[in-house]
């Protein structure tokens, strides 16, 4: 049965050869001749592709600025001898996620003992650094879930168009009453083009999501390292500062009788 069907399709193709066209014109013609279901699927995939590329380009640009500003901020921090100097110019490096970590630790240190001496509660400084790192990382992860969603569902959207194209092909085969290529060609073309469109949308989104996630892990690691470096700098500066000499108590005056 299957052999007779394939032989009939082959004979139909040989007896009625189609003109050879360019790949681009054939693709445009298939899209133009698509049914309403396949056309809707293609429009949805096009919107998803544009949205995913917009997310990836904006994230790559923002991550690049954050990395450059972070390197500048670390160089300025290591050259400075006072935390107050860094605090006064920290806003200049604002795109860097290291700046919120510094500001949180510096503010907590100021609240504890006015920025002098050993911190009374080092654990509170560590918690402040962890909170700032978490908030900065959450801000950098914004819209990443949309990219993961597009990467996950785009093949299934294309598969829906594929299923509907196959259904259309069998419907055309049943209507024609004969196993001819002309009867099944529209449905098969819709199935193939929606499958390809789903893969074209999903593959870049998967690659971009994995690369951006790796960059986020790098930023998280750098924020943790910088927080520990800042805490060490505070403790070392407090240990090197000589303690204030206590004032000698005044001798009690002798009462004269």
């Amino acid at each position: 049965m299957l052999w007779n069907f394939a032989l009939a399709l082959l004979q139909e193709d040989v007896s009625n050869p189609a003109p050879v066209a360019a790949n681009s014109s054939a693709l445009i013609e298939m899209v133009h001749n698509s049914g309403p279901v396949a056309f809707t699927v293609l429009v949805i995939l096009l919107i998803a592709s544009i949205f995913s590329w917009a997310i990836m380009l904006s994230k790559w640009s923002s991550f690049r600025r954050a990395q450059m500003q972070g390197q500048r901020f670390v160089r300025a921090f290591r050259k400075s001898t006072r935390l107050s100097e860094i605090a006064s110019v920290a806003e200049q490096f604002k795109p860097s996620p290291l700046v919120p970590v510094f500001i949180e630790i510096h503010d907590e240190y100021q609240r504890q003992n006015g920025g002098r001496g050993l911190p009374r509660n080092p654990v509170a400084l560590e918690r402040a650094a962890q909170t700032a790192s978490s908030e900065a990382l959450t801000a950098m992860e914004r819209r990443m879930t949309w990219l993961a969603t597009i990467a996950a569902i785009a093949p299934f959207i294309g598969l829906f168009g594929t299923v509907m194209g196959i259904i259309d092909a069998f419907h055309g085969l049943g209507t024609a009453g004969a196993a001819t290529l002309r009867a099944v060609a529209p449905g098969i073309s819709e199935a193939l083009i929606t499958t390809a469109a789903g893969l074209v949308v999903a593959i870049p989104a998967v690659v971009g999501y994995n690369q951006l996630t790796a960059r986020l892990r790098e930023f998280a690691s750098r924020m943790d390292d910088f927080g520990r470096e800042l805490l060490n700098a505070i403790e070392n500066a407090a240990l090197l500062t000589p303690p204030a000499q206590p004032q000698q108590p005044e001798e009690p005056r002798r009462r004269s009788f």
Side-chain angles (χ1 to χ4, degrees):
M1 182 67 179
L2 293 176
W3 173 256
N4 295 332
F5 177 69
L7 184 60
L9 291 179
L10 182 60
Q11 291 175 353
E12 177 71 15
D13 190 19
V14 172
S15 60
N16 298 316
V20 179
N23 292 332
S24 59
S25 61
L27 183 62
I28 294 173
E29 184 179 357
M30 282 191 296
V31 173
H32 184 266
N33 295 330
S34 298
V37 176
F39 187 76
T40 303
V41 169
L42 292 176
V43 170
I44 293 174
L45 290 175
L46 177 62
I47 295 173
S49 178
I50 294 173
F51 189 45
S52 65
W53 276 104
I55 293 174
M56 288 187 289
L57 293 176
S58 64
K59 289 296 180 183
W60 282 331
S61 178
S62 63
F63 287 1
R64 184 173 177 272
R65 289 196 306 269
Q67 182 179 4
M68 293 177 59
Q69 293 294 336
Q71 293 173 354
R72 293 179 55 197
F73 180 70
V74 170
R75 286 197 298 267
F77 169 75
R78 291 173 179 172
K79 289 180 181 179
S80 179
T81 57
R82 292 185 177 181
L83 294 179
S84 58
E85 296 177 357
I86 299 297
S88 61
V89 297
E91 294 295 331
Q92 299 178 7
F93 310 96
K94 193 62 174 178
S96 172
L98 304 181
V99 174
V101 177
F102 173 83
I103 292 176
E104 276 299 319
I105 295 178
H106 180 264
D107 292 346
E108 179 64 26
Y109 185 46
Q110 291 288 332
R111 284 191 293 267
Q112 286 189 13
N113 51 1
R116 293 179 179 275
L118 287 172
R120 292 194 301 267
N121 189 1
V123 178
L125 295 181
E126 295 178 1
R127 287 197 295 263
Q130 293 174 358
T131 302
S133 300
S134 178
E135 291 178 354
L137 196 62
T138 301
M140 297 180 73
E141 288 176 345
R142 193 170 301 155
R143 293 193 303 274
M144 287 288 292
T145 54
W146 282 105
L147 188 60
T149 303
I150 292 172
I153 69 173
F156 294 101
I157 297 176
L159 182 61
F160 173 76
T162 302
V163 172
M164 297 304 297
I166 296 297
I167 293 174
D168 189 18
F170 278 103
H171 182 266
L173 185 62
T175 303
T180 60
L181 184 61
R182 190 182 303 276
V184 298
I188 296 297
S189 65
E190 289 181 7
L192 294 177
I193 196 172
T194 53
T195 303
L199 295 177
V200 167
V201 174
I203 291 174
V206 171
V207 175
Y209 178 79
N210 291 334
Q211 294 296 320
L212 293 174
T213 303
R215 294 291 302 276
L216 286 172
R217 286 196 296 265
E218 292 179 5
F219 279 115
S221 204
R222 289 177 184 174
M223 284 187 284
D224 293 339
D225 294 340
F226 177 74
R228 286 189 290 266
E229 182 179 355
L230 179 56
L231 293 176
N232 291 335
I234 291 175
E235 293 179 357
N236 293 334
L239 292 175
L240 292 177
T241 302
Q245 296 295 331
Q247 296 181 356
Q248 296 294 334
E250 296 181 358
E251 296 182 358
R253 297 180 180 176
R254 296 181 179 180
R255 295 182 180 179
S256 58
F257 296 97

